Amino acid sequence: MRSRQSFRAATIRAYIDKYKVNVIEIVGHTDEAGIAERTSNLDKELIPLLRDRGAADKLAPADNAGLGLARAVAVANVLRKQDGLKGYTILPYSAAQLVAPGDVLSDGSSPGDDKTRRRIEIRLRRADASAQSGRGSSVAVTQAQAAPQAAGPLARSIAGRASIIDADTIEIRGERIRLWGIDAVEGRQTCRLGGQLWRCALDAAFAISAHLEGQSVQCMERGRDQYNRTVAVCTVRGGDLGGWLVSAGFALDYRRYSGGRYAAEQAAARAGKRGLWRGEFEPPWEWRRKQGR
């Protein structure tokens, strides 16, 4: 029998496939019961918890807003570890005690213990260019049946054998695809290894080519970049290709866009002196900035 966690992950994935969305929002709700006065440790503990360096039972919120967020982070952390949800953006939020069941704003008249108020709401939406201006489509998934509210352009799935353009860009059936959330050294960029110049960009391209081994690559579009390339999360043999590149040390977590999604993989690569971390290199965004200047 499947666990409750795996069942919920399967249910969420079914909605993702049905409505072609790629962002999972976790909203924590509370009742209006007050919390005993204490010092909150959420500023210190929330991010470590999301990076798998903390424990949910150590969170100590000091108000309902913090309690709602702590619950959302704990759920988000569980979902991030589910195989069927890897590669999707999972974002925690708090609604505190402000929203009663039925999407009704609270009037402050129910200050006591109310189990129906203490709940987790899961919303699914598509992140695309319109979402950046506040016009993204969404589907709300609660404990009840989800309403078919998704609208707008559907997220595309691209699959096939890939050609390597560089370490963070591939091509499938003539379409250039920039891997989401990572940044690899540029083709003209060099590094230093053992005091000698090192064509690290070429080695990075060779590494991804060897990893693919001619296997089919599956990509889920996340949007377009400034060069109108498709930006996507891609998997091969079920594993996140961007995450593998960072873990192997041939790409960096591009926090500006990933929000730290691959920070743990990068830390492990650095500690193990893998890939680029064997030598000396400049972050590719810094190299590009200097070239432009």
Side-chain angles (χ1 to χ4, degrees), residues 31-43:
D31 57 23
E32 296 177 30
I35 295 178
E37 184 175 345
R38 61 182 175 185
T39 300
S40 171
N41 69 352
L42 298 192
D43 286 346

Side-chain angles (χ1 to χ4, degrees), residues 186-201:
E186 298 290 340
R188 294 186 294 113
Q189 189 174 349
T190 57
C191 309
R192 298 192 70 84
L193 182 62
Q196 303 294 319
L197 284 179
W198 171 30
R199 297 185 65 186
C200 49

